[in-house]
């Protein structure tokens, strides 16, 4: 399902948020994107997969290693595009990780629920001009981090966040008991002193 959502620092009534839907059932990857600050319209994509036999995921893959791998892949993509790398900030990662854990545990639905609160929590420690978020989920891959990053890069809204004028990032990965991974990446453009 493709949903267009409008977000900015101001409260926007639900009826004003543009919405469109589009279903796809061919990819075992769910990605979603959100941006705050600039008032941009960014797509949010949720694709429901056909049920297939998952390939085994190595047990040695820690969520911390996946977070670092995503940071490396995103910065490599940015370098390839002539953009500066993003600095991984543990305060932002804490917020991203908490959201991924909440989605994995089923405490919140997959998506951007609570994004304004995450932005506010980050703002208490980092003065920022704009902030955006990508989320993804997948299951049954030996390279779940690469699948999430590839899905983001192949989606214009997610790619817009990755290529944005941000200087900081935080990444959180969680895995539930069914082996499903949840990914959150938050992008921040901090105010320059």
């Amino acid at each position: 399902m493709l949903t267009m959502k409008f977000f900015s620092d101001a409260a926007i009534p639900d009826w004003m948020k543009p919405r469109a839907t589009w279903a796809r059932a061919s990819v075992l990857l769910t990605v979603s994107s959100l941006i705050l600050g600039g008032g941009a319209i960014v797509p949010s994509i949720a694709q429901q997969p056909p049920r297939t036999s998952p390939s085994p995921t190595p047990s040695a893959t820690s969520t911390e290693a996946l977070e670092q791998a995503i940071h490396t892949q995103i910065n490599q993509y940015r370098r390839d595009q002539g953009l500066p790398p993003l600095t991984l900030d543990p305060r932002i990662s804490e917020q991203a990780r908490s959201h991924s854990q909440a989605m994995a545990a089923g405490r919140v639905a997959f998506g951007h629920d609570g994004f304004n609160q995450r932005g506010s929590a980050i703002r208490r420690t980092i003065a920022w001009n704009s902030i955006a978020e990508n989320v993804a989920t997948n299951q049954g891959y030996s390279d779940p981090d690469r699948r999430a990053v590839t899905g983001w890069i192949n989606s214009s809204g997610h790619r817009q966040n990755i290529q944005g004028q941000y200087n900081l990032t935080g990444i959180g990965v969680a895995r539930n008991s069914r082996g499903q991974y949840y990914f959150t990446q938050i992008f921040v453009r901090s105010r320059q002193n």
Side-chain angles (χ1 to χ4, degrees), residues 27-31 55 66 70 73 136-154 181 183:
V27 179
L28 182 57
L29 177 66
T30 306
V31 290
S55 58
L66 292 172
I70 289 169
Q73 292 168 55
T137 185
N138 64 48
Q139 180 176 13
Y141 295 109
S142 61
D143 57 350
D145 55 313
R146 288 198 180 281
R147 297 293 179 145
V149 170
T150 298
W152 287 336
I153 290 170
N154 289 335
Y181 286 93
F183 307 87

Side-chain angles (χ1 to χ4, degrees), residues 73-115:
Q73 292 168 55
I74 293 294
N75 275 343
Q76 182 60 54
Y77 177 80
R78 285 178 61 90
R79 272 190 295 281
D80 292 348
Q81 303 305 306
L83 298 167
L86 299 169
T87 300
L88 189 62
D89 188 291
R91 299 166 293 181
I92 303 169
S93 289
E94 179 182 341
Q95 292 297 317
R97 192 173 299 114
S98 176
H99 184 54
S100 290
Q101 290 168 346
M103 289 188 294
R107 292 190 305 270
V108 298
F110 172 79
H112 300 290
D113 289 350
F115 181 63

Side-chain angles (χ1 to χ4, degrees), residues 9 35-40 78 84-87 89 91-92 115 119 122-123 125-133 160-170 186-193:
D9 284 329
I35 188 167
L36 270 179
R78 285 178 61 90
L86 299 169
T87 300
D89 188 291
R91 299 166 293 181
I92 303 169
F115 181 63
I122 292 167
R123 186 170 263 157
T125 59
I126 301 169
W128 55 261
N129 289 325
S130 61
I131 187 168
E133 177 179 82
Q160 178 182 349
N161 288 344
I162 293 168
Q163 294 175 341
Q165 297 296 315
Y166 302 106
N167 60 324
L168 302 174
T169 193
I186 299 173
F187 303 87
V188 172
R189 181 174 58 202
S190 62
R191 292 190 184 131
Q192 303 302 316
N193 296 332

Side-chain angles (χ1 to χ4, degrees), residues 45-73:
I45 300 175
Q47 300 170 345
Q48 294 302 318
R51 196 67 183 141
T52 60
S53 303
S55 58
T57 301
S59 59
T61 304
S62 72
T63 55
E64 294 84 9
L66 292 172
E67 290 167 1
Q68 187 57 55
I70 289 169
H71 181 240
T72 300
Q73 292 168 55

